[in-house]
Amino acid sequence: MGRKAKFDGTPVPTGRGRKAKKQGDPTFPKGVLVKEEKTLSHRQKQRARKRSLKQQSLKENIKKLKEEKRVKAKDIVNESIVKDASKQLKKTKKKKKSPEPVPLENGSVSDESEEMQLDEDSVASDAEGVVESRKQRTKKKLVDSDVESDVTDSDEEDSDAPDDEDKDADGTDDDDLLPIEKANKKLKRKQEKERKLAEEEMTDMMSQEFDFNFPTEEELADAGNLKDVQQRMKDVVMILSDFKRLRDANRSRSEYLDLLRKDLCTYYSYNNFLMERLIQIFPLDELLEFLEASEVQRPMTLRTNTLKTRRRDLAEALINRGVNLDPIGKWTKIGLVVYSSQVPMGATPEYLAGHYILQGASSFLPVMALEPKENERILDMCAAPGGKSSHVAALMKNTGVLFANDMNEDRVKAVVGNFHRLGIVNSVISTYDGRKLPSVIKGFDRVLLDAPCTGTGVVSKDPSVKTNKDEVDIQRCSTLQRELLLAAIDCANARSESGGVVVYSTCSILPEENEWVVDYALRKRDVKLVPTGLEFGTEGFTSYRQHRFHPSLKLTKRFYPHVHNMDGFFVAKLKKFSNIVRKKKDAEEESLE
């Protein structure tokens, strides 16, 4: 407390007042400055004493056991030495008895008797060497047995195995290994033996039970019974998987393949050309899985419009309307998969308000690989109907400029409608031919090209692909895709601080429309493939039949219906390093070299 104020003008005395209290020295709680040693209770001391007594008794028991083992080892060694010595003596007795030395006239011994005595001495010395070596071996074995006392009984059974089995592939003995390594080796040998026996039994069973008769022309013409066709397909696939053993000696592999192709075309309603291409792409077991998965519709998926809502709020609203849904997976934070719905998903108030758009799960992937940033200039060359473009605009958060282009004017109307509904305001919509865009506008930070293709990855959506595609269609699409990809690379700006990126994608699984096109672009432009950043998917092809592509094509990603439960898709991400376009003469000279 301070002094009381005086307002009559008299000076206030300085110093401590009458009622003021002097502050004492600071005090700290126990254990803050000095750590006191923890004292044990009486019960804890008793337990500690018991533990120490137990440990001492265990150590004494272990010492006693070791001493007993050493005594036994010495006894066994002595017995083995005695046995070996007796055996060696018996062997020497069985040999021809040496004749008594014949004295000569001068009192010396004959040379023959001297030789026999030398032979006996050498035999005795050899016997002593054998005894010593046997003694060392027995000691070594006894030491190993002491170490391996804790190994399982299976090791004891295998101890009688021949010496050749106790050696590695390098020829080293098991004696140099640790006991746990020995046990592991013996277990592996047992497993290999069991596996070989199981394989032999399976092959014997299959050879006895499996009996395939090649169908006649009448049976092939009768395609009404699909069960017979299905069983025949499975049998042919089994024969081709082990052709050397299960084949008919009078039939070639090409005949079996032709039969399988005809049955597959009959059962799944494909034309011969497309089925041949699929057989070349997939192994036979995987081919059947792909064809089965292509017959099933993919689950309905939708993408949350992050410009207007969050996925959690959208899911709650749709669940209240009787929609059964779940997140697509850990790889996306904006996708939902719909299992069943009591209301049409394209007419809910949330859909009309632009909170979501119906979009396939595979269509998320190219935009995720593109990785658009805010305040960038981005081009989508084939934008209709606007699913990927709206996704790009949402990631840009309505900043920068998005150019959505599509050649078909009728399809552009769908882009306009979706953009208005989703609330996208940073877009410019155009209807140019994508191949001519470099002459109209350039300098984009990022370019997305979802090229038109044959649609062999979306057979479940469009079953007409099975029958209406041939060699001419694939060649036409491949040529168009090459031109579009070169134009997309020319539109990108290599000097962009954040971009210079081109993403190429198709909904086809044919290498002619995917790896072949990207490999062509790598040779014609100064670009390189970079990782897509996608967490899943299979690697692209670096070789296809007689063709060999650039090794970096393994950085591309392929997606299949039977593996990833989404439409067949291909995604490649390119990085541009120079805006200079090489002339045709230079490119031709390089190709000739």
Side-chain angles (χ1 to χ4, degrees), residues 224-370:
N225 192 355
L226 293 179
K227 287 186 178 180
D228 295 342
V229 176
Q230 186 181 18
Q231 185 60 39
R232 192 162 61 221
M233 286 190 303
K234 292 180 180 178
D235 294 343
V236 173
V237 168
M238 186 181 293
I239 292 170
L240 292 172
S241 64
D242 193 0
F243 187 70
K244 188 175 181 180
R245 187 174 56 81
L246 299 176
R247 62 172 293 191
D248 186 356
N250 300 323
R251 299 286 182 179
S252 63
R253 189 179 186 88
S254 59
E255 291 178 341
Y256 282 101
L257 285 172
D258 290 338
L259 175 62
L260 178 63
R261 178 177 51 79
K262 290 177 183 177
D263 289 340
L264 289 172
C265 292
T266 303
Y267 191 79
Y268 294 104
S269 302
Y270 281 79
N271 58 10
N272 290 325
F273 167 76
L274 188 57
M275 187 56 66
E276 283 181 0
R277 292 303 176 93
L278 294 177
I279 290 173
Q280 293 168 1
I281 293 172
F282 295 105
L284 295 178
D285 295 337
E286 192 175 355
L287 175 63
L288 296 177
E289 294 178 4
F290 171 78
L291 295 174
E292 286 291 338
S294 297
E295 297 295 316
V296 181
Q297 288 288 335
R298 304 272 75 76
M300 181 188 294
T301 55
L302 54 91
R303 179 180 58 81
T304 308
N305 182 18
T306 55
L307 295 174
K308 292 191 172 183
T309 186
R310 297 184 303 174
R311 184 172 69 171
R312 183 186 300 173
D313 299 336
L314 175 64
E316 289 179 1
L318 293 177
I319 289 170
N320 292 334
R321 296 190 184 278
V323 181
N324 184 14
L325 50 82
D326 270 331
I328 291 180
K330 294 181 180 179
W331 55 272
T332 177
K333 296 181 180 179
I334 56 174
L336 292 169
V337 57
V338 178
Y339 301 114
S340 61
S341 174
Q342 298 178 4
V343 294
M345 294 303 298
T348 61
E350 288 77 17
Y351 177 83
L352 299 175
H355 290 183
Y356 67 90
I357 182 172
L358 298 174
Q359 187 176 348
S362 56
S363 297
F364 293 25
L365 305 173
V367 181
M368 292 171 65
L370 187 66

Side-chain angles (χ1 to χ4, degrees), residues 391-405:
H391 191 183
V392 172
L395 292 176
M396 294 171 69
K397 297 181 181 178
N398 263 339
T399 61
V401 183
L402 170 64
F403 289 82
N405 178 76

Side-chain angles (χ1 to χ4, degrees), residues 528-573:
K528 290 184 180 179
L529 281 167
V530 295
T532 58
L534 301 174
E535 299 175 356
F536 63 103
T538 58
E539 293 181 354
F541 297 153
T542 54
S543 62
Y544 171 67
R545 301 186 70 194
Q546 73 274 17
H547 305 287
R548 298 295 177 269
F549 304 126
H550 196 274
S552 62
L553 276 163
K554 65 182 180 181
L555 296 174
T556 60
K557 292 291 185 180
R558 282 176 159 266
F559 303 91
Y560 298 118
H562 63 287
V563 179
H564 308 102
N565 196 21
M566 59 176 64
D567 296 328
F569 226 76
F570 175 82
V571 180
K573 187 175 182 180

Side-chain angles (χ1 to χ4, degrees), residues 16 26 31 103 116 119 196 314 508 524 556:
R16 190 161 54 92
M116 293 301 293
D119 290 337
K196 287 179 181 179
L314 175 64
S508 174
K524 293 295 182 182
T556 60

Side-chain angles (χ1 to χ4, degrees), residues 50-114:
K50 286 181 180 178
R51 284 193 215 101
S52 63
L53 290 173
K54 280 185 180 179
Q55 289 177 357
Q56 288 178 1
S57 63
L58 282 172
K59 288 180 181 179
E60 291 174 358
N61 292 331
I62 290 168
K63 285 182 181 179
K64 287 179 182 178
L65 288 171
K66 285 182 179 179
E67 289 177 358
E68 289 176 359
K69 285 183 180 179
R70 285 173 188 166
V71 172
K72 288 180 181 178
K74 287 180 182 178
D75 295 340
I76 293 168
V77 169
N78 293 330
E79 288 177 3
S80 63
I81 291 168
V82 171
K83 287 180 182 179
D84 292 335
S86 62
K87 286 180 182 178
Q88 197 66 29
L89 288 171
K90 286 179 182 178
K91 286 181 182 178
T92 54
K93 285 180 181 179
K94 284 181 182 179
K95 289 185 178 180
K96 187 176 180 180
K97 293 183 178 179
S98 61
E100 295 179 359
V102 179
L104 296 177
E105 293 177 357
N106 55 5
S108 62
V109 184
S110 66
D111 296 334
E112 292 180 358
S113 62
E114 289 178 359

Side-chain angles (χ1 to χ4, degrees), residues 567-585:
D567 296 328
F569 226 76
F570 175 82
V571 180
K573 187 175 182 180
L574 299 161
K575 173 74 174 175
K576 186 176 181 181
F577 290 95
S578 175
N579 290 326
I580 300 172
V581 179
R582 292 178 292 179
K583 295 181 181 179
K584 290 183 179 179
K585 292 183 180 179

